Amino acid sequence: MSEQEFKPVFSAYEGNLAGTLPEKNEGTINFYGLTQEDLKNFLKGLGKEQFRAQQIFKWVYDRRITDFDQMSNISKTFRDELKGLIDFNLPPVLSHLKSIDGTQKFLFDMGDGNSVEAVLIPSNDRLTLCISSEVGCNMACRFCFTGKQKLKRRLKASEIIGQFMQVHDRLSEGQRISNIVFMGMGEPLDNSDAVFKSVDILNDDFGISISRRKITVSTSGLVPEMWKVAAHRVRLAVSLNGSNDEIRSQVMPINKRFPLKDLLQACMDYAKETNDKVTFEYVLLKGVTDGLDQAKELYNLTRKIPCKINIIPFNEHPNSGFERPDDAQVEKFQNELIRLGAHVLLRRTMGRDIFAACGQLTSEFVNKPQKMDISNSKIGSIYTKNDMKKSQTQVPSNSTNSLV
Ligand code: SAH
Ligand code: SF4
């Protein structure tokens, strides 16, 4: 499907697909911000053969060689030339914490005092990396810790891929990141050029080679940008978090600009265009979004759209003004949706003890505990105090891995 074919569905959109201009740092270009196409164009400009782009991609992503001197199928003079033009800078890891449940949280230095987090989440059949797209977020959702921090800046593609590479380089032998979710800090569709450029880099067969079906972009509902998710053939998750306009506008101000009617139409268009289901995320806030009448309203709102509903009990953070419903209410809400016939999943809360759960990420550390004592909560109580001590340690940065 071309951009033009899909674009008319979202008539409000006036932009383009991800730009192809390479990022430039002081004098050098960051390799991790280049799609293969970008690198080909760059090499063409130097009068070089374009197949060199694939060779260099394989050295860097497959063999993790970033020293041009070791790229033995490239001539010495060309290697010397490239050294002055391309750098392989990655955002430094400021901290690396491991949860009692195996979840790992990484904090990256993005310069100028800015930092973002990424979370690695293991489960039976997959290893999912949740990455950030912005420092802070302008959407100001009232229940979200990141939303309390205004947008400081949007990340570059090289900084998004940089999060991936840093985590990848610290995996244990035989581990491989299988899924990517843009559910970290920021609104990915508020930074869509860099996000979709990084999608193209993640998907490249000569590079990281993650299938588009294993990449999910989660949005709070920036309707005019949503066609791009289908155009790039990645999965769409939508943070619904309210079963009618009144409640949704209360907890997600973006709903005042793009109300449910427009949002759900965009979801329907996505499903038609891709033959894929939309994932609706629905945060359960005690006394605000967790009523059984709201479960019914939610079902009616989404029943015509091919979808599944992911219910997420609210994760606490200081001074949020919201509470997590108790387990019994969560179960009732879930059962009501099941009874009505919805495809519903309850998201298991991961990494809560290291403050890495949904909506707990931020780059501002004032008022924010690095680790949370959950030993008295229901989730924490299945672990002993000793387990907690063992797991909440800084993990040393170690081994390097191949991506394939
Ligand atoms: N900005 C994007 C992606 C990042 S937020 C978006 O809003 O979709 C990722 C998910 O975390 C969203 O579904 C959001 O609703 C959810 N979330 C935010 N704060 C939360 C909290 N405190 N507890 C549980 N989920 C939360
Ligand atoms: Fe931003 Fe998503 Fe948090 Fe809303 S839920 S403030 S869009 S990160």
Side-chain angles (χ1 to χ4, degrees):
M1 177 193 57
S2 75
E3 175 187 348
Q4 278 72 23
E5 277 164 341
F6 195 62
K7 203 167 147 180
V9 180
F10 298 92
S11 50
Y13 184 71
E14 285 162 8
N16 288 307
L17 275 177
T20 49
L21 280 181
E23 296 168 5
K24 237 177 175 318
N25 298 329
E26 295 125 19
T28 52
I29 287 174
N30 190 315
F31 179 84
Y32 296 110
L34 298 176
T35 61
Q36 198 190 125
E37 210 45 46
D38 290 340
L39 186 58
K40 278 184 179 158
N41 288 336
F42 180 70
L43 295 176
K44 200 167 148 193
L46 297 175
K48 306 291 177 193
E49 307 99 322
Q50 295 191 33
F51 73 88
R52 299 284 179 203
Q54 289 180 354
Q55 287 180 328
I56 300 173
F57 256 54
K58 283 204 119 190
W59 281 113
V60 175
Y61 289 117
D62 190 357
R63 306 190 56 186
R64 291 303 287 133
I65 302 283
T66 54
D67 174 3
F68 281 116
D69 283 334
Q70 291 183 49
M71 299 187 186
S72 52
N73 51 6
I74 296 172
S75 75
K76 166 121 181 49
T77 39
F78 184 26
R79 289 190 320 233
D80 287 342
E81 199 179 335
L82 287 174
K83 273 189 233 170
L85 297 172
I86 291 178
D87 69 75
F88 294 93
N89 293 338
L90 290 171
V93 176
L94 289 174
S95 85
H96 177 183
L97 297 167
K98 198 166 182 182
S99 159
I100 34 186
D101 60 25
T103 303
Q104 296 180 44
K105 185 173 77 166
F106 298 79
L107 180 72
F108 298 99
D109 183 358
M110 291 299 176
D112 304 325
N114 292 319
S115 54
V116 297
E117 293 177 331
V119 182
L120 186 67
I121 310 153
S123 62
N124 291 345
D125 56 341
R126 59 179 79 167
L127 187 58
T128 303
L129 183 64
C130 172
I131 44 184
S132 294
S133 54
E134 298 179 323
V135 184
C137 183
N138 261 347
M139 303 302 136
C141 303
R142 287 193 41 223
F143 50 83
C144 175
F145 205 48
T146 310
K148 285 195 166 179
Q149 196 195 350
K150 270 205 169 284
L151 180 73
K152 295 240 172 87
R153 74 172 175 85
R154 298 176 173 91
L155 296 185
K156 299 184 235 173
S158 61
E159 293 167 324
I160 296 173
I161 298 297
Q163 296 169 58
F164 176 92
M165 295 315 304
Q166 285 285 36
V167 176
H168 164 79
D169 289 346
R170 286 165 177 77
L171 294 177
S172 315
E173 204 60 47
Q175 274 190 316
R176 185 180 185 275
I177 295 168
S178 60
N179 294 63
I180 301 286
V181 292
F182 283 88
M183 291 184 189
M185 294 163 57
E187 166 52 51
L189 296 187
D190 181 45
N191 187 18
S192 58
D193 281 1
V195 163
F196 289 114
K197 191 188 265 280
S198 65
V199 162
D200 290 342
I201 298 169
L202 289 166
N203 176 245
D204 194 299
D205 283 343
F206 287 86
I208 297 165
S209 192
I210 293 186
S211 145
R212 290 178 187 271
R213 313 244 333 130
K214 304 267 163 117
I215 301 175
T216 302
V217 171
S218 175
T219 180
S220 56
L222 272 182
V223 172
E225 296 286 296
M226 282 171 66
W227 68 272
K228 294 181 183 176
V229 183
H232 284 268
R233 286 289 185 255
V234 289
R235 306 198 101 145
L236 172 68
V238 171
S239 301
L240 213 46
N241 304 337
S243 57
N244 58 47
D245 276 319
E246 196 190 336
I247 297 176
R248 191 166 192 269
S249 295
Q250 264 172 37
V251 294
M252 299 183 76
I254 191 178
N255 194 67
K256 293 179 198 153
R257 187 122 172 255
F258 304 112
L260 280 170
K261 184 171 158 287
D262 298 346
L263 177 60
L264 296 173
Q265 182 59 51
C267 292
M268 188 60 117
D269 293 339
Y270 170 88
K272 278 198 187 133
E273 187 57 46
T274 60
N275 277 328
D276 197 6
K277 283 184 179 165
V278 178
T279 300
F280 287 115
E281 294 156 291
Y282 188 90
V283 178
L284 288 180
L285 305 165
K286 187 175 176 178
V288 182
T289 62
D290 67 344
L292 294 191
D293 46 339
Q294 282 156 331
K296 196 162 190 175
E297 208 170 25
L298 174 62
Y299 171 72
N300 285 328
L301 208 57
T302 55
R303 59 194 277 245
K304 296 217 174 92
I305 301 170
C307 70
K308 53 188 182 206
I309 300 171
N310 224 331
I311 53 177
I312 318 170
F314 174 63
N315 291 312
E316 311 91 329
H317 49 86
N319 311 319
S320 72
F322 293 104
E323 280 176 65
R324 184 186 180 96
D326 59 32
D327 291 352
Q329 186 59 26
V330 173
E331 206 180 315
K332 272 192 211 153
F333 193 92
Q334 184 185 15
N335 286 342
E336 179 65 1
L337 283 173
I338 294 171
R339 189 186 69 77
L340 290 163
H343 179 173
V344 52
L345 304 161
L346 173 63
R347 187 178 296 170
R348 201 154 65 91
T349 303
M350 304 284 284
R352 211 164 141 230
D353 57 326
I354 55 168
F355 235 72
C358 280
Q360 291 184 316
L361 306 184
T362 178
S363 52
E364 220 168 54
F365 288 93
V366 197
N367 297 330
K368 181 193 175 188
Q370 272 285 314
K371 296 164 191 170
M372 186 161 76
D373 184 3
I374 55 169
S375 50
N376 292 323
S377 74
K378 283 204 170 125
I379 288 185
S381 60
I382 57 172
Y383 304 103
T384 64
K385 288 254 181 197
N386 243 356
D387 283 337
M388 304 268 295
K389 240 183 254 152
K390 255 192 289 173
S391 69
Q392 292 178 338
T393 48
Q394 294 275 339
V395 183
S397 308
N398 49 20
S399 62
T400 307
N401 281 267
S402 162
L403 281 160
V404 285

